[in-house]
Amino acid sequence: MPNWGMAVDLDTCTGCGACVTACHAENNISTVGAEQAALGRAKHWIRVERYWEGEFPDVRLKFRPVLCQQCDNAPCEPVCPTYASHHTEDGLNAQVYNRCIGTRYCANACPYNVRFFDFFNPEWDKPLHLQLNPDVSLREVGVMDKCTFCVQRIKATQVQARAEEREIADGELQTACAQACPSRALVFGDLDDPGSQVSRLSRSPRGTKLLEDLGTRPKVTYLSRQA
């Protein structure tokens, strides 16, 4: 069974936001508008944070894409009263939407602020409804949603590989954000495959984990910028 993970090279990320756009399109993420966003109700399964390094005038701008870290010791899972948030055998923090009752305990427990509550039923004005992905459900009002590492792509690739009686090749499976990244800063794959690119990058001396001291054991490795 694979152990899915991601590596993000901060040295090559340009902060273009292509990953955010691709994630919205792939996973049917609705927009809420400026008024609701001002109330803290914006929804982005992946966001690009900006940081300034150095002192003026010698400053540099650094970008960090932040998504669900798919933690091995996820604080969001034990607090869910309905087991809607749970751990899968291939290492994903899954969210069962029709089991979720919207307590928002998981969002309060998550230190990465990557879980979102659906305050409204999603709406897409015509003809935007034609771009919806039929492989991804539309989340209804009152449930939590989050990044799934594009689980629909994972399942489709696994089914195809099983039908052809072969293993999934490294790089064959990509999340929407990794596929859309023009600088190839995001790399997705099987962490348990020592020969995979993501596995090699995760062992890099430049590798760091986001809020690693909390003990959440995230599966996303950030490669720090080189001097």
Side-chain angles (χ1 to χ4, degrees):
M1 182 60 64
N3 183 26
W4 304 115
M6 182 175 288
V8 183
D9 192 342
L10 302 182
D11 206 29
T12 59
C13 176
T14 63
C16 67
C19 55
V20 179
T21 302
C23 180
H24 268 261
E26 172 73 21
N27 294 291
N28 299 337
I29 303 174
S30 60
T31 55
V32 298
E35 182 179 342
Q36 294 300 320
L39 296 175
R41 296 176 177 179
K43 292 193 299 180
H44 300 287
W45 284 9
I46 180 172
R47 66 181 184 270
V48 181
E49 297 181 345
R50 297 184 297 171
Y51 299 92
W52 291 99
E53 294 180 333
E55 296 183 3
F56 183 83
D58 299 319
V59 295
R60 292 201 308 172
L61 181 59
K62 179 176 71 174
F63 301 99
R64 182 190 297 270
V66 178
L67 64 163
C68 176
Q69 305 291 294
Q70 308 292 342
C71 309
D72 275 334
N73 187 28
C76 60
E77 293 173 354
V79 298
C80 181
T82 61
Y83 199 56
S85 178
H86 69 282
H87 215 71
T88 67
E89 57 184 0
D90 51 356
L92 300 180
N93 299 142
Q95 182 75 10
V96 183
Y97 301 121
N98 59 3
R99 193 184 291 163
C100 177
I101 58 174
T103 62
R104 285 182 272 182
Y105 294 163
C106 57
N108 292 329
C110 176
Y112 303 105
N113 191 27
V114 290
R115 286 177 165 269
F116 303 94
F117 182 73
D118 288 319
F119 285 90
F120 308 98
N121 279 317
E123 294 182 1
W124 284 271
D125 296 331
K126 295 180 180 180
L128 295 180
H129 67 291
L130 299 176
Q131 60 89 36
L132 295 177
N133 186 352
D135 295 329
V136 180
S137 62
L138 299 181
R139 281 77 63 190
E140 297 181 348
V141 61
V143 302
M144 301 296 303
D145 63 30
K146 57 175 277 295
C147 162
T148 64
F149 269 173
C150 293
V151 66
Q152 68 280 0
R153 292 189 174 202
I154 294 175
K155 295 302 182 184
T157 305
Q158 288 175 332
V159 168
Q160 184 67 26
R162 193 178 302 118
E164 297 174 359
E165 299 181 349
R166 61 174 177 82
E167 298 293 327
I168 299 176
D170 182 37
E172 175 184 359
L173 173 56
Q174 295 192 70
T175 58
C177 57
Q179 183 181 15
C181 181
S183 62
R184 297 293 181 261
L186 283 72
V187 177
F188 178 79
D190 184 5
L191 292 172
D192 285 350
D193 179 4
S196 68
Q197 184 181 8
V198 69
S199 180
R200 295 195 303 269
L201 291 175
S202 68
R203 299 191 300 268
S204 168
R206 292 197 292 136
T208 60
K209 304 287 188 180
L210 193 59
L211 303 179
E212 187 174 14
D213 56 332
L214 296 179
T216 57
R217 295 164 57 196
K219 285 208 183 65
V220 179
T221 302
Y222 290 94
L223 305 182
S224 59
R225 295 182 65 163
Q226 304 183 65

